[in-house]
Amino acid sequence: MSHHDVDAEKEMNRLLAAGGTPPVQTDPFTIGDVRLSPERIVGLLRPHMRERRLDRIQTVVANRTRSVVPVVEGLVNTGNVSAVMRSAEALGHQDMHVVSGEHDRYKHSQRTAQGAQHWLDVWHWDAPTACATHLQDAGHRVVAMHLHADTVPIRDLDFTQPTALVFGNEDAGVTDTMLEASDAACEVPLPGFTESFNVSVAAAVALYHAQQDRLDRQGHHADLSDEARARLEARFCLRSVNNAEQIIERKLGDEGRS
């Protein structure tokens, strides 16, 4: 099947649904009727993972942050969404917010997220104001990446302050509604003849800059608490082992009979 034959809307929905459920919406550690600690989850699943896999999970979790959050608004190209996911996950960002746009059709690209979507927590919003308000209530400054507003260079922002970076639609950019709800707008200065980046490139550059700014200012990018790291490690183990919940239920049953 060529990319021209793919149902682009279905592919976009599949891509966005692959992300983890934000932890405030579910309790991932109730298996059957039993409430388990993160450490117990990891202990039960450890024999079903190679030690190298568990080490990798622990290393990734140790480098995660929820303080800098990418937000995409109204993107229609699956390749661009995939690319933003890939950049966000690779640079240690755990959350990604997706705001629906008012468009009639999606576009499909053969670019993939290369599995990054499975390790992100993806939040879905029907309207920009609701998304911005949620992030602001959680303590984030909402900053729109925008070329045609009262912008500041991205280097003027202090990313040790919790920040949500908003990337807009491929053609129209960030909506007026999102701009009105945002706390600031910024841009990546371009000294060349080219006037703008593709949205996926803009996201990669901005998120990398945010990471480096945090490293320069405070010496670290990651900032999850010990409790948050333990929960995320357990969630990643659950995602890494096939039939993880069934395995845990079986082991708990065996323990109850012994």
Side-chain angles (χ1 to χ4, degrees), residues 73-77 80 103 105 107 146-148 167-175 196-199:
E73 183 193 17
L75 297 193
V76 299
N77 190 306
N80 286 332
H103 40 71
R105 57 190 297 269
K107 301 176 182 177
H146 196 64
L147 292 175
H148 306 296
F167 307 95
N169 173 266
E170 290 89 344
D171 295 322
V174 177
T175 63
S196 65
F197 286 127
N198 171 278
V199 63

Side-chain angles (χ1 to χ4, degrees), residues 17-238:
T21 304
V24 297
Q25 295 184 9
T26 62
D27 181 354
F29 307 126
T30 298
I31 307 296
D33 296 326
V34 182
R35 171 79 171 131
L36 300 173
S37 70
E39 293 78 12
R40 183 79 166 118
I41 293 285
V42 175
L44 288 168
L45 293 178
R46 182 187 294 269
H48 302 273
M49 293 184 290
R50 294 183 177 181
E51 197 64 32
R52 181 173 61 182
R53 181 60 172 174
L54 182 57
D55 289 345
R56 180 60 177 163
I57 287 173
Q58 292 171 337
T59 298
V60 168
V61 169
N63 286 283
R64 281 296 206 246
T65 183
R66 296 186 189 273
S67 294
V68 178
V69 181
V71 180
V72 294
E73 183 193 17
L75 297 193
V76 299
N77 190 306
T78 59
N80 286 332
V81 173
S82 294
V84 176
M85 285 181 163
R86 193 161 64 246
S87 296
E89 197 284 325
L91 291 168
H93 304 277
Q94 184 58 35
D95 293 309
M96 177 171 171
H97 290 248
V98 179
V99 183
S100 300
E102 297 180 0
H103 40 71
D104 298 325
R105 57 190 297 269
Y106 290 94
K107 301 176 182 177
H108 180 63
S109 168
Q110 291 181 310
R111 288 180 295 168
T112 70
Q114 296 183 349
Q117 70 272 24
H118 299 295
W119 307 107
L120 295 170
D121 291 328
V122 182
W123 303 67
H124 299 266
W125 302 93
D126 292 328
T129 302
C131 176
T133 299
H134 168 85
L135 288 163
Q136 289 160 339
D137 288 346
H140 287 75
R141 166 187 56 183
V142 177
V143 178
M145 297 291 297
H146 196 64
L147 292 175
H148 306 296
D150 185 14
T151 61
V152 298
I154 193 170
R155 61 176 173 267
D156 289 353
L157 299 178
D158 177 356
F159 282 95
T160 62
Q161 175 180 342
T163 301
L165 281 171
V166 184
F167 307 95
N169 173 266
E170 290 89 344
D171 295 322
V174 177
T175 63
D176 290 341
T177 302
M178 179 62 86
L179 283 172
E180 291 173 4
S182 298
D183 300 296
C186 76
E187 63 180 351
V188 176
L190 298 175
F193 288 111
T194 301
E195 295 183 352
S196 65
F197 286 127
N198 171 278
V199 63
S200 63
V201 176
V205 171
L207 293 174
Y208 177 76
H209 172 85
Q211 180 202 57
Q212 294 304 302
D213 183 76
R214 288 167 61 79
L215 289 171
D216 290 344
R217 292 178 188 271
Q218 64 185 16
H220 60 90
H221 179 50
D223 55 8
L224 297 185
S225 67
D226 290 343
E227 179 183 1
R229 286 170 58 175
R231 289 181 60 81
L232 189 57
E233 181 181 330
R235 293 177 65 214
F236 282 178
C237 287
L238 285 167

